[in-house]
Amino acid sequence: MPLISVVIPVYNGEKYIKQAVDSVFAQEVPLELLVIDDGSTDKTEEVLSAYSGRKDFRYIKNEKNMGAAGSRNRGVCEAGGKYIAFLDADDWWAEGKLKTQLDTLEKTGAVLCSTAG
């Protein structure tokens, strides 16, 4: 199964980021998670320090504020997976979401898969 790089841009997301990260790590696919901190001034970095020992987790802090789009682009540049998936810091994924998408991509040869709802 190919590696999926998950990119989460975050700015002052201490209240929500744990749920987002936990929902990523609950997916049953090979993945790496890149959290791009856009200069948070709250306890976001402290919350994320709980994941620092994981080989599939990278915390990257922007030196200057780049906005959500710039942070996503930085994550894409740092990613090593065959596929890229984006998740907002205040959102979360249902169990099995990435596996369903990956199966569809691999079966159809599509290069893009999106969800809504």
Side-chain angles (χ1 to χ4, degrees), residues 3-19:
L3 180 71
I4 300 174
S5 296
V6 179
V7 176
I8 300 178
V10 62
Y11 177 77
N12 289 344
E14 73 175 290
K15 294 179 183 176
Y16 312 105
I17 192 67
K18 182 179 181 337
Q19 182 178 16

Side-chain angles (χ1 to χ4, degrees), residues 22-40:
D22 288 346
S23 79
V24 170
F25 287 136
Q27 303 300 308
E28 296 181 358
V29 296
L31 61 81
E32 66 174 351
L33 173 57
L34 298 89
V35 177
I36 313 299
D37 188 334
D38 201 28
S40 295

Side-chain angles (χ1 to χ4, degrees), residues 86-102:
F86 297 110
L87 178 63
D88 290 335
D90 62 350
D91 205 352
W92 57 271
W93 287 333
E95 190 175 318
K97 180 248 196 237
L98 280 184
K99 176 133 179 38
T100 300
Q101 286 185 293
L102 181 59

Side-chain angles (χ1 to χ4, degrees), residues 21-70:
V21 169
D22 288 346
S23 79
V24 170
F25 287 136
Q27 303 300 308
E28 296 181 358
V29 296
L31 61 81
E32 66 174 351
L33 173 57
L34 298 89
V35 177
I36 313 299
D37 188 334
D38 201 28
S40 295
T41 57
D42 65 356
K43 294 183 179 175
T44 295
E45 186 171 0
E46 184 179 321
V47 172
L48 292 169
S49 69
Y51 305 95
S52 65
R54 295 184 64 122
K55 292 184 184 219
D56 54 358
F57 175 79
R58 282 197 281 162
Y59 173 79
I60 300 165
K61 191 159 189 171
N62 293 337
E63 292 179 19
K64 63 177 187 159
N65 189 271
M66 300 171 68

